[in-house]
Amino acid sequence: MTDGSTRTLPLDDLHRSAGARFGAFAGWSMPLTYPAGVMKEHLHTREQAGLFDISHMKLFEVSGPDAVALLSKACPLDASGLDISQSKLTFFLNEQAGILDDLIVTRLGADRFMVVANAGNAAADEAHLRDLAKDFDCKIDPLDRVFLAIQGPEAWAVLSRAGIETGSLTFMHGIEPRQNWFMSRSGYTGEDGFEIGLPEADARALVEKLLADERVMWIGLAARDSLRLEAGLCLHGQDITPETDPASAALMWAIPKELRATGAFIGAETLCEIAARGPVEKRVGLKPEGRQPVRAGAQLFDENGNPAGRVTSGGFGPSVGHPVAMGYVPVDLAKPGTRLFADVRGAKIAVDAHSLPFTQHRYRKG
């Protein structure tokens, strides 16, 4: 059970009746695994369709005459350049260009945007945005929605059978298919898939329809983590933090080139300096030798025993059949194939720098 400080998901009863095992994450009681177990849940998502309850994440609507200006100040983003229904990965940065959070921003109208924030940062993100908004003519509305993700090669077909057509929606686009619904073609697994924010009553009806389809299985947080790690996707608080800048995190692709030198976003000056001189370290994939997973927090060393970075995420990759990890190493050691060693409880495990992702992305881009 949860104590007073831990929040429960609106669909908590459905997860309990499905036999979920729970654990705390970012202040929420979250389903970690279901009776099938993490290995089967992971592989099922890659092969068919996995259903995730991601209601711990937060949806904000930002609207008003200055919505474009606010988001272009808050993020390294040209909000005016987004087409209607286009989504973009972006960040809240501090003045040191540290990543306060990674977000997905979708343009819903000329002066209306949807912002999806991470669970652990939702309250801080809202406060940050409200503080900035004092100088702008716009509104910030946190939405009370159940948030579901359906991921995997059968996700579109499953939604179609449930009466939700997705054909015109391509990767990194979002729409409002019904009143108070928001649906984007995006996700956190590397697979084709969708994220849907909707009122609780609608969500319960949709979940019932989806679970009646033999291709759909509930997927917990443990498999969500192994899926995103194989796909080379960052977890805020581990792989990216307020101490990490986008250049070191190998995320500069998310910042339009024309903004890097001329942007007026928070942290622009520092980021421009870092990009000009080049980062000191870089986020890379790490492939441990053998079967022993190397976990977050393990220190890395070069072949001469000198400190050479750290592991920020690690575990076993069910789709690739071997341990997978990512972390930060000095730039001169970031080349794929570079041999490093991880300290795992005093034992030195050989790990090689590896290109990301470990599994090919299968997004539907056209």
Side-chain angles (χ1 to χ4, degrees):
M1 295 304 289
T2 59
D3 63 37
S5 63
T6 307
R7 301 172 71 182
T8 53
L9 299 171
L11 305 184
D12 182 77
D13 56 310
L14 299 186
H15 301 300
R16 292 191 183 279
S17 62
R21 187 171 66 82
F22 288 82
F25 176 77
W28 290 81
S29 172
M30 296 291 295
L32 299 181
T33 57
Y34 296 86
V38 63
M39 185 77 85
K40 280 192 174 143
E41 291 172 36
H42 177 115
L43 294 173
H44 186 89
T45 305
R46 292 259 184 259
E47 290 156 13
Q48 296 190 63
L51 179 61
F52 302 74
D53 189 339
I54 53 172
S55 304
H56 59 309
M57 297 180 71
K58 193 68 198 172
L59 294 160
F60 298 98
E61 189 179 312
V62 178
S63 62
D66 288 347
V68 164
L70 171 65
L71 289 170
S72 300
K73 173 73 175 174
C75 309
L77 171 75
D78 175 14
S80 68
L82 290 181
D83 294 330
I84 303 294
S85 93
Q86 188 182 354
S87 304
K88 186 92 175 68
L89 174 74
T90 188
F91 316 100
F92 284 156
L93 302 179
N94 59 26
E95 291 291 0
Q96 293 73 48
I99 300 171
L100 299 174
D101 201 7
D102 57 317
L103 318 151
I104 291 184
V105 174
T106 305
R107 191 172 201 172
L108 297 175
D111 57 6
R112 282 182 64 235
F113 294 82
M114 189 69 77
V115 177
V116 179
N118 286 308
N121 300 326
D125 286 352
E126 183 181 346
H128 179 66
L129 213 44
R130 285 194 188 285
D131 188 48
L132 289 175
K134 287 174 189 164
D135 300 328
F136 296 91
D137 181 8
C138 60
K139 272 197 327 173
I140 293 147
D141 295 308
L143 303 181
D144 186 18
R145 300 282 185 273
V146 168
F147 203 26
L148 300 170
I150 180 139
Q151 299 278 296
E154 297 287 338
W156 68 273
V158 161
L159 284 176
S160 179
R161 186 188 282 182
I164 298 168
E165 286 309 323
T166 62
S168 60
L169 198 60
T170 53
F171 179 62
M172 290 305 278
H173 285 76
I175 55 171
E176 295 170 291
R178 301 175 190 182
Q179 191 176 0
N180 294 326
W181 283 43
F182 170 69
M183 178 167 78
S184 61
R185 198 162 197 156
S186 59
Y188 199 43
T189 61
E191 299 297 325
D192 182 29
F194 304 85
E195 295 184 336
I196 307 172
L198 68 177
E200 184 180 333
D202 293 352
R204 287 179 178 271
L206 178 60
V207 164
E208 192 177 344
K209 274 188 193 168
L210 293 176
L211 291 175
D213 191 314
E214 67 286 349
R215 294 168 290 185
V216 179
M217 180 190 280
W218 274 125
I219 311 295
L221 208 60
R224 182 170 161 86
D225 197 51
S226 56
L227 287 157
R228 68 94 193 164
L229 182 50
E230 284 185 346
L233 304 174
C234 294
L235 174 62
H236 194 275
Q238 280 189 208
D239 308 298
I240 46 177
T241 71
E243 283 70 53
T244 320
D245 64 84
S248 306
L251 292 169
M252 289 297 277
W253 58 266
I255 301 175
K257 280 197 173 70
E258 60 277 11
L259 278 191
R260 294 179 194 177
T262 61
F265 57 88
I266 294 167
E269 203 174 308
T270 311
L271 187 60
C272 192
E273 287 167 14
I274 293 166
R277 69 168 184 260
V280 176
E281 58 178 14
K282 189 180 172 199
R283 179 175 63 93
V284 296
L286 299 163
K287 184 186 175 196
E289 205 172 58
R291 307 291 289 175
Q292 163 102 32
V294 173
R295 308 274 177 196
Q299 296 301 304
L300 296 170
F301 298 87
D302 67 14
E303 294 189 287
N304 298 318
N306 301 308
R310 64 205 178 278
V311 177
T312 53
S313 282
F316 190 76
S319 307
V320 294
H322 59 73
V324 291
M326 69 168 96
Y328 286 81
V329 301
V331 169
D332 60 336
L333 297 177
K335 191 176 172 205
T338 304
R339 175 56 54 101
L340 299 161
F341 296 88
D343 184 337
V344 178
R345 293 186 296 279
K348 291 285 193 288
I349 306 281
V351 301
D352 290 335
H354 193 283
S355 58
L356 291 170
F358 291 97
T359 53
Q360 195 176 350
H361 292 164
R362 298 197 285 183
Y363 304 130
R364 181 168 164 218
K365 295 196 174 179

